[in-house]
Amino acid sequence: MAKQPRIVAELGRPETPEEAAERKAAHSAAYRSSQNVRNLIAALIVTLGVVLVVVFAVPRGTPAPQDDIDVAAVAERISDNEGRTLVVPGVPDDWRVNLARVEGDTTRAWTIVYVPGEEQGFVRVAQGFDADAAWTTRVLRGADADETVTIDGVEWTRYDIADPEAAGNVTRALSAQAGPDVVLVYGNAPEADIERTAESVSGQVRELQEAAE
């Protein structure tokens, strides 16, 4: 028995084939739209869940703290390799060591960089191996010798830094001949810190001078 056309209540008569097709098409479109919305919501929930797992479940850890640099130990190792005596500054315990190594190409230098306590700035100590007379000027980028000062029995040359920016942000510098080497103490820390550091190595500089005589 053939299925009778659907009665449309609003029209009071059976719907035409065209009306039936439009009704079914509208129903299918509404169904697809609702599926798309549900799928989108489900995808967002899954994505949020993954993010939460990454944030809370995956162990991220914290960066390992930088090991303190033992300047004396590094100096001893390099001294053995280089066959020469290296100066080791005696600075306050609250000074942080940022670097302790040999740097340079034409003139290699045992170099230590300190950050003095809570003060702003830095103090750098460099022992230029067999440094020529112009090495200090090259390091300080053209700074001129100003005067000589005696610190703990050692004569140091003080430099006039006319352009700190051109000199690598250096504002103060002292140098002394240490046998075949030159020891340079420089930076932009307060003058008292520069002189304190020079004083801490003056005895070692004097020993290198005497050993070369």
Side-chain angles (χ1 to χ4, degrees):
M1 182 176 178
K3 185 177 178 180
Q4 295 298 319
R6 178 173 177 272
I7 301 298
V8 181
E10 295 83 352
L11 301 176
R13 61 172 174 77
E15 64 183 353
T16 64
E18 292 79 6
E19 291 170 341
E22 290 177 1
R23 175 177 54 78
K24 292 176 181 179
H27 176 76
S28 296
Y31 177 77
R32 287 194 300 271
S33 177
S34 65
Q35 286 294 96
N36 289 338
V37 172
R38 281 195 292 269
N39 289 341
L40 178 59
I41 293 173
L44 290 174
I45 292 174
V46 171
T47 301
L48 179 60
V50 171
V51 171
L52 292 175
V53 168
V54 171
V55 172
F56 295 108
V58 177
R60 296 185 299 279
T62 57
Q66 182 178 351
D67 293 335
D68 292 336
I69 299 174
D70 187 335
V71 175
V74 176
E76 183 178 2
R77 184 174 68 252
I78 296 174
S79 180
D80 291 341
N81 293 336
E82 297 288 340
R84 66 173 71 232
T85 301
L86 304 184
V87 299
V88 178
V91 299
D93 292 338
D94 61 344
W95 285 26
R96 187 173 74 252
V97 183
N98 277 0
L99 179 148
R101 67 188 181 198
V102 174
E103 296 184 325
D105 297 319
T106 304
T107 300
R108 299 167 64 245
W110 159 237
T111 305
I112 314 110
V113 179
Y114 295 100
V115 177
E118 298 299 324
E119 298 285 350
Q120 297 295 319
F122 66 91
V123 177
R124 182 183 287 258
V125 179
Q127 179 179 349
F129 299 158
D130 302 311
D132 59 33
W135 175 70
T136 302
T137 301
R138 291 197 300 272
V139 173
L140 298 177
R141 302 177 192 179
D144 296 324
D146 184 26
E147 61 179 350
T148 59
V149 293
T150 300
I151 300 176
D152 194 21
V154 173
E155 187 175 275
W156 292 82
T157 299
R158 192 190 306 275
Y159 290 84
D160 177 25
I161 313 295
D163 187 350
E165 186 174 350
N169 201 29
V170 172
T171 57
R172 301 171 180 84
L174 295 168
S175 75
Q177 193 71 37
D181 301 340
V182 173
V183 174
L184 178 63
V185 180
Y186 60 115
N188 63 359
E191 185 174 358
D193 289 336
I194 300 293
E195 292 187 355
R196 172 191 296 179
T197 306
E199 182 178 9
S200 76
V201 296
S202 286
Q204 300 167 64
V205 168
R206 188 166 53 250
E207 290 176 1
L208 289 172
Q209 291 173 343
E210 295 170 350
E213 294 177 353

